[in-house]
Amino acid sequence: MSSRFRVGLASATALIALGAAAAPASATEMQPMSKHTGTAGCFNWSWADGDVTTTVYFHNTCKRAEWIDIVWTHGGGEYEAPYGADEKGSYKDYGAVKSITDVGPWTG
């Protein structure tokens, strides 16, 4: 094998290796976001960890209206609202979720 051929082969191999290393990560290599699920009184809830904001999805499984209270870690943000029987909802705020509570029946 000539020295010219070996240099060319080494250069080609180096370029292929460099190109493979610079390629973006495929979907199979990316880590999924952590998913959280649970129950608070009448509410089933879930959310996935976000970068800046978090959206909580919830469902009132009781046969009466109930209040849900969601508290975020960022700046003490809080969301409280009544939801009817079998009603679903969602709410988005900055930061991570600190707590989700079923406050009790809505009498409005």
Side-chain angles (χ1 to χ4, degrees):
M1 196 183 307
S2 75
S3 63
R4 197 181 231 181
F5 179 76
R6 281 186 286 204
V7 170
L9 183 59
S11 296
T13 303
L15 286 174
I16 290 170
L18 182 60
S26 69
T28 57
E29 294 172 337
M30 296 179 73
Q31 297 297 317
M33 293 189 298
S34 294
K35 183 177 179 185
H36 307 271
T37 60
T39 300
C42 291
F43 291 95
N44 291 333
W45 49 261
S46 67
W47 83 82
D49 294 333
D51 290 329
V52 176
T53 61
T54 304
T55 303
V56 177
Y57 300 91
F58 46 87
H59 176 206
N60 179 0
T61 59
C62 287
K63 295 183 180 189
R64 64 184 180 277
E66 292 279 322
W67 284 87
I68 190 169
D69 181 67
I70 305 170
V71 178
W72 271 261
T73 59
H74 178 75
E78 186 171 2
Y79 172 76
E80 188 174 294
Y83 281 83
D86 198 37
E87 189 174 358
K88 295 178 181 180
S90 65
Y91 190 77
K92 177 171 140 179
D93 206 337
Y94 292 97
V97 174
K98 184 175 182 181
S99 66
I100 300 174
T101 309
D102 179 345
V103 181
W106 181 55
T107 56

